[in-house]
C-alpha cells in the first residue's frame, strides 16, 4: 500500500496569509501582543446554560476551539472559526469560562470548508477538519506562539519559528485502527465513540485512516457477524470480542490483526482465522489480547499469537524495525520520517559523538542515527520496547547501540556520573515533557548537541524556561503529525550559550 507515500517535497504553507486570505486568527487579534491565555473573567456575569447569543470569534484556543468573549468572559465554541459571527447556545457555565455550541453561523470564515468525515463534529480526532489545510498549518504555528507567550522562556519573542511542514495529502495517514466492538441489545457495532458518551457510531468512513486498515475492519465485522462470533456486551459484562486493532505496515502493506477479548478462551477462532485467511491475504499475523472486565484500558497484559507471523516490518530511514502487536510506532509514517530527518539535520553528528536517545520507544531514532556517530545509548521505561530496541539493533547489524530499561531522569545522570559523557542528546518525551531532575542534569553537564522533539507545545515552553538558562533556541520546526486534529509536534534545535 502506498497511499501515504510522499516522494515530493511536503506541502509547506507560506506565511499566515495564504491565497490572499485573511490571517485565520482575525484582524484585531495579535497573539504576541495580547495575553495568550489571559482570561477576562468577571465573576457574577449573568449567564445560564441554554441561553443563546451572537458571538464574534476572535481566535482559536490550543485545542482548536473557537474563542469569543461574552460580557468579557471567555467563551469556548468548538467548531467556530476566527472572524466568524455565530449564534451560540451555552452548554456549560464555569467560574472561569463559558462553553457553548454553534447554532448558526451568520458570517462565515473564508477558511471554512465542509469536513470530509460525516461524524467530524461528533467523534474525536477531527477537531480542525472544518478548516482549510493551510489554515490548520498556520494554527499549529500559532499554538506554539501561544505556549511560548504563556511561559516566556528567555528570548522567546525573537525565536525563529519555522512554518509548519504539512503533508501533501493530509488524509489516510493513520496506520493503526483501534475500534471497540459491542453488542448493544441485538445490535452489533464496530466503531468510534461519540465525544464524552458511550454512543458508538458504526463503522464510519474515516478519511484519516489508511484505507487498508478500514478495509480489514469492515471485512472482519462481516465475518464476525456471519460466523456468529461472541461479541462483548458491556451492560452484562459478557461475551468475547471487545476491540479490533488493525495495524498496517507502510513499507510492506502487511496487516497485523489483534482481537482484544473479555474472555480467556476464544470460541470459534479456528473458523474465523480460516475465513480471514481467505478474505484478507494482506493479514499476515493474528493475535489475541486478553483484557477482562469493564476497563477504560484497551489492552490487557497478555498477548498470544493465534496464527501467522510474530511481527510486521517497517522501514525507517533505511533501517528495518520488527513490530510486535504492542510495540509502539508513530501513527504517521511519512511525517515521522520528516521529524527524524529534522532531528538529524539539527544535530550535525560526527563519528566521534556519543549520542543519547532518551525516551527511545523501540529505538527508531537512535538506530536511524547509529551509523553517523561513535556510540548510541538509549533508555525507555517499557521493558518490551527496550527488548525490541535491542533486537532491532541486531537485525540491522548495529553494534554501537545499546538500550536500557529505566527513566531518562535516572539513567542519564547515572551514565554521566560513570564518566560516559554525551556529546549529543535527543529527547522525545511524552506529553508531560521532561522531568525536573533531567532538566537539572542537562543544565549541569550541557551536552554540546541537543535536540528536543516535542508533542506538546505547552510543556515544551515550560521546559525551555529552564533549558534556556544554558542553551539558545536556534529554531523550532513545527511538523504536522496529525492533520485534521489540533495536536502539535515539533523539533527544537538548541545550542550552548557559551559555545562559540
Ligand atoms: N522516541 C520514540 C518514542 C517516543 S514516545 C519514537 O520516536 O517512536 C515517548 C516514550 O517515552 C514512550 O515510549 C514512553 O514509554 C517513554 N517514557 C515515558 N516516560 C519516560 C521516562 N521518564 N523515561 C524514559 N522513557 C519514558
Amino acid at each position: 500500500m502506498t497511499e501515504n507515500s510522499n516522494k515530493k517535497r511536503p506541502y509547506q504553507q507560506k506565511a499566515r496569509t495564504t491565497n490572499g486570505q485573511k490571517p485565520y486568527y482575525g484582524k484585531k487579534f495579535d497573539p504576541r501582543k495580547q495575553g495568550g491565555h489571559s482570561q477576562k473573567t468577571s465573576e457574577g456575569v449573568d449567564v445560564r446554560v441554554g441561553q443563546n447569543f451572537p458571538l464574534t470569534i476572535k481566535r482559536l484556543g490550543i485545542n482548536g476551539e473557537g474563542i469569543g468573549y461574552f460580557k468579557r468572559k471567555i467563551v469556548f465554541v468548538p467548531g467556530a472559526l476566527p472572524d466568524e459571527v455565530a449564534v451560540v447556545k451555552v452548554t456549560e457555565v464555569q467560574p472561569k469560562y463559558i462553553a457553548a455550541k454553534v447554532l448558526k453561523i451568520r458570517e462565515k470564515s473564508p477558511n471554512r470548508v465542509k469536513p470530509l468525515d460525516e461524524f467530524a463534529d461528533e467523534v474525536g480526532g477531527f477537531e480542525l477538519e472544518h478548516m482549510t489545510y493551510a489554515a490548520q498549518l498556520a494554527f499549529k504555528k500559532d499554538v506554539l506562539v501561544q505556549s511560548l507567550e504563556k511561559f516566556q522562556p528567555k528570548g522567546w519573542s525573537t525565536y525563529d519559528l519555522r512554518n509548519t511542514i504539512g503533508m501533501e495529502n493530509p488524509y489516510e495517514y493513520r496506520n493503526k485502527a483501534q475500534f471497540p466492538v459491542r453488542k448493544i441489545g441485538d445490535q452489533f457495532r464496530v466503531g468510534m465513540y461519540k465525544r464524552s458518551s458511550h454512543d458508538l457510531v458504526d463503522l464510519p468512513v474515516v478519511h484519516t485512516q489508511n484505507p487498508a486498515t478500514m478495509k480489514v475492519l469492515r471485512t472482519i465485522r462481516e465475518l464476525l457477524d456471519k460466523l456468529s462470533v461472541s461479541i462483548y456486551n458491556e451492560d452484562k459484562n459478557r461475551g468475547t470480542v471487545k476491540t479490533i486493532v488493525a495495524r498496517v505496515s507502510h513499507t510492506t502493506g502487511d496487516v497485523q490483526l489483534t482481537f482484544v477479548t473479555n474472555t480467556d478462551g476464544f470460541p470459534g477462532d479456528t473458523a474465523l482465522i480460516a475465513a480471514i485467511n481467505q478474505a484478507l491475504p494482506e493479514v499476515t499475523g493474528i493475535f489475541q489480547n486478553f483484557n477482562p472486565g469493564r476497563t477504560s484500558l484497551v489492552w490487557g497484559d497478555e498477548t498470544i499469537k493465534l496464527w501467522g507471523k510474530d511481527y510486521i516490518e517497517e522501514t525507517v530511514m533505511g533501517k528495518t524495525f520488527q513490530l510486535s502487536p504492542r510495540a509502539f510506532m508513530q501513527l504517521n509514517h511519512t511525517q515521522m520520517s520528516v521529524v527524524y530527518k529534522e532531528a538529524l539535520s539539527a544535530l550535525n553528528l560526527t563519528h566521534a559523538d556519543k549520542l543519547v536517545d532518551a525516551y527511545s520507544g523501540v529505538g527508531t531514532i537512535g538506530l536511524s542515527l547509529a551509523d553517523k556517530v561513535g556510540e548510541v545509548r538509549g533508555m525507555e521505561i517499557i521493558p518490551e520496547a527496550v527488548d525490541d530496541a535491542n533486537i532491532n539493533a541486531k537485525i540491522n547489524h548495529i553494534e554501537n547501540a545499546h538500550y536500557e530499561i529505566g527513566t531518562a531522569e535516572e539513567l542519564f545522570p547515572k551514565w554521566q556520573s560513570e564518566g560516559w559523557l554525551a556529546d549529543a542528546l535527543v529527547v522525545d518525551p511524552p506529553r508531560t515533557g521532561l522531568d525536573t531532575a533531567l532538566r537539572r542534569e542537562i543544565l549541569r553537564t550541557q551536552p554540546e548537541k541537543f535536540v528536543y522533539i516535542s508533542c506538546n507545545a505547552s510543556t515544551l515552553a515550560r521546559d525551555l524556561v529552564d533549558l534556556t538558562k544554558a542553551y539558545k533556541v536556534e529554531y523550532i520546526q513545527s511538523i504536522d503529525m496529525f492533520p485534521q486534529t489540533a495536536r502539535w509536534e515539533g523539533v527544537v534545535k538548541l545550542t550552548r550559550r557559551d559555545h562559540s
Side-chain angles (χ1 to χ4, degrees):
M1 304 298 305
T2 53
E3 290 93 327
N4 290 354
S5 72
N6 185 358
K7 296 209 179 65
K8 287 178 224 148
R9 247 182 97 231
Y11 172 71
Q12 199 156 3
Q13 98 280 14
K14 301 240 170 56
R16 292 182 175 191
T17 43
T18 315
N19 306 331
Q21 294 176 350
K22 286 183 203 167
Y24 79 96
Y25 50 80
K27 268 178 289 190
K28 292 185 203 92
F29 184 77
D30 180 349
R32 285 176 188 260
K33 287 193 192 126
Q34 300 195 15
H37 281 262
S38 81
Q39 293 174 340
K40 295 175 186 166
T41 58
S42 68
E43 309 306 327
V45 170
D46 188 17
V47 60
R48 338 160 241 101
V49 170
Q51 188 175 335
N52 299 351
F53 47 78
L55 191 73
T56 303
I57 304 301
K58 300 285 188 195
R59 60 185 306 201
L60 290 184
I62 55 170
N63 299 311
E65 68 286 49
I67 288 177
Y69 294 89
F70 177 71
K71 297 183 184 168
R72 305 179 67 210
K73 197 160 188 169
I74 193 163
V75 189
F76 293 110
V77 192
L81 294 178
D83 281 346
E84 290 189 331
V85 179
V87 180
V88 304
K89 181 175 183 164
V90 175
T91 53
E92 199 183 332
V93 179
Q94 295 291 343
K96 289 208 182 275
Y97 68 90
I98 298 168
K101 65 176 185 184
V102 174
L103 290 181
K104 190 172 176 244
I105 308 256
R106 278 196 190 155
E107 281 176 43
K108 225 182 184 177
S109 160
N111 292 331
R112 178 173 286 282
V113 292
K114 190 174 176 322
L116 271 188
D117 287 276
E118 189 186 349
F119 297 95
D121 58 352
E122 292 182 80
V123 301
F126 304 97
E127 291 71 19
L128 304 182
E129 210 183 23
H130 55 294
M131 290 170 85
T132 60
Y133 192 50
Q136 292 185 26
L137 296 178
F139 162 77
K140 289 192 183 181
K141 187 168 160 186
D142 189 55
V143 164
L144 179 61
V145 174
Q146 290 189 41
S147 303
L148 292 170
E149 196 190 39
K150 184 175 168 197
F151 289 95
Q152 312 214 334
K154 200 168 183 174
W156 70 276
S157 60
T158 57
Y159 288 173
D160 176 8
L161 306 181
R162 301 193 168 169
N163 286 335
T164 316
I165 300 175
M167 297 187 77
E168 198 175 340
N169 170 20
Y171 289 99
E172 302 189 350
Y173 62 84
R174 288 178 186 266
N175 55 26
K176 185 163 98 172
Q178 193 163 276
F179 281 22
V181 187
R182 290 291 181 273
K183 195 115 195 180
I184 304 160
D186 293 341
Q187 274 186 1
F188 170 37
R189 289 189 184 171
V190 179
M192 296 173 87
Y193 283 112
K194 290 191 184 169
R195 238 177 262 133
S196 35
S197 87
H198 244 60
D199 207 357
L200 207 54
V201 182
D202 197 22
L203 268 190
V205 176
V206 184
H207 290 87
T208 49
Q209 283 289 349
N210 182 310
T213 61
M214 296 308 290
K215 177 194 166 204
V216 167
L217 287 182
R218 271 172 222 291
T219 309
I220 298 294
R221 188 198 188 292
E222 277 167 32
L223 295 177
L224 291 173
D225 213 8
K226 194 167 124 200
L227 299 170
S228 307
V229 174
S230 166
I231 302 299
Y232 185 55
N233 180 321
E234 204 165 16
D235 289 338
K236 296 184 181 149
N237 192 22
R238 248 192 259 141
T240 297
V241 178
K242 254 184 167 176
T243 306
I244 309 174
V245 185
R247 164 151 87 173
V248 64
S249 160
H250 181 90
T251 312
T252 64
D254 289 351
V255 176
Q256 184 175 62
L257 184 65
T258 307
F259 294 96
V260 181
T261 63
N262 177 52
T263 51
D264 204 354
F266 193 164
D269 64 337
T270 314
L272 179 63
I273 292 164
I276 294 170
N277 290 163
Q278 195 156 44
L280 297 166
E282 62 269 44
V283 173
T284 56
I286 305 176
F287 299 80
Q288 177 185 1
N289 174 270
F290 177 44
N291 187 21
R294 295 187 189 95
T295 152
S296 56
L297 297 177
V298 172
W299 293 84
D301 293 335
E302 235 180 275
T303 307
I304 56 164
K305 188 176 77 174
L306 299 176
W307 173 86
K309 291 189 190 163
D310 294 341
Y311 300 100
I312 50 171
E313 281 186 358
E314 194 72 276
T315 305
V316 181
M317 291 175 78
K319 299 289 185 307
T320 302
F321 291 85
Q322 290 189 340
L323 305 175
S324 58
R326 303 234 26 207
F328 175 81
M329 178 64 76
Q330 301 285 352
L331 279 179
N332 186 335
H333 190 273
T334 305
Q335 295 301 84
M336 172 180 67
S337 308
V338 174
V339 169
Y340 293 178
K341 280 181 193 140
E342 284 295 327
L344 172 64
S345 81
L347 282 168
N348 296 318
L349 297 168
T350 71
H351 285 101
D353 286 336
K354 294 198 194 75
L355 169 73
V356 168
D357 175 8
Y359 307 87
S360 59
V362 296
T364 31
I365 295 176
L367 297 176
S368 305
L369 305 181
D371 49 16
K372 314 255 182 325
V373 297
E375 197 182 342
V376 178
R377 280 195 192 180
M379 83 291 275
E380 158 65 53
I381 53 173
I382 298 173
E384 293 81 0
V386 173
D387 287 347
D388 285 345
N390 287 319
I391 292 168
N392 288 325
K394 263 207 198 99
I395 299 168
N396 291 288
H397 311 290
I398 294 170
E399 283 168 7
N400 62 342
H402 173 69
Y403 286 85
E404 284 183 31
I405 304 168
T407 65
E409 54 274 22
E410 276 164 11
L411 287 180
F412 185 65
K414 181 170 170 271
W415 295 341
Q416 303 273 114
S417 71
E418 289 166 356
W420 193 90
L421 298 177
D423 305 290
L425 170 65
V426 179
V427 296
D428 184 15
R431 290 181 61 78
T432 45
L434 306 181
D435 188 88
T436 325
L438 178 61
R439 276 184 260 151
R440 211 181 300 131
E441 182 67 7
I442 294 171
L443 289 176
R444 196 179 71 79
T445 56
Q446 299 185 19
E448 184 195 333
K449 302 168 184 180
F450 182 16
V451 162
Y452 189 144
I453 302 175
S454 165
C455 59
N456 184 341
S458 186
T459 55
L460 168 67
R462 179 205 65 195
D463 290 348
L464 286 178
V465 172
D466 249 7
L467 297 173
T468 50
K469 289 173 190 160
Y471 287 88
K472 222 171 82 189
V473 172
E474 289 293 324
Y475 59 81
I476 306 182
Q477 176 66 65
S478 300
I479 293 148
D480 191 18
M481 279 282 252
F482 298 97
Q484 319 306 333
T485 79
R487 288 182 59 184
W488 179 85
E489 179 99 15
V491 173
V492 188
K493 174 171 174 157
L494 296 134
T495 50
R496 281 199 307 227
R497 286 194 182 274
D498 64 359
H499 189 68
S500 47

